[in-house]
Amino acid sequence: MGFIENIIAGLGLGETPAEPLFKAVLYGDGAIYLQNVGAVKSYSPDKIELRLKNGGLTLTGTGLTIRKYCEGDLVVCGKIKTLSRN
């Protein structure tokens, strides 16, 4: 059993999913890099709603700007306050 599988089994979460729903890397509260984004549903400087393969994701903050969106990769800069699945 590999490292990730040991952690998942230890947490009682079951098997590792074949493909992650999305990946997020926060850089403080000033930027976020996301993978596996299907589409941008709505965009304003205070709120960005995203469509994922399974559900959605909402970012809220101030001065939010989309810096890169290409082939499922998305970079958002600005003061990020919340990130929530919906």
Side-chain angles (χ1 to χ4, degrees):
M1 186 179 289
F3 178 71
I4 297 296
E5 289 81 9
N6 281 333
I7 292 173
I8 290 173
L11 293 173
L13 298 176
E15 295 188 22
T16 306
E19 181 180 347
L21 299 176
F22 71 96
K23 289 183 183 179
V25 179
L26 287 167
Y27 296 96
D29 63 354
I32 187 168
Y33 169 70
L34 297 158
Q35 290 181 325
N36 296 332
V37 174
V40 176
K41 288 174 48 177
S42 68
Y43 166 76
S44 74
D46 300 323
K47 182 178 179 180
I48 299 175
E49 293 181 296
L50 307 171
R51 182 173 50 85
L52 305 173
K53 290 183 180 181
N54 186 8
L57 192 67
T58 301
L59 289 100
T60 62
T62 56
L64 300 177
T65 58
I66 296 175
R67 293 291 177 99
K68 175 190 174 189
Y69 179 49
C70 179
E71 297 181 7
D73 292 347
L74 178 76
V75 176
V76 175
C77 293
K79 179 80 172 174
I80 299 167
K81 294 181 183 174
T82 65
L83 173 67
S84 59
R85 285 279 318 228
N86 46 351

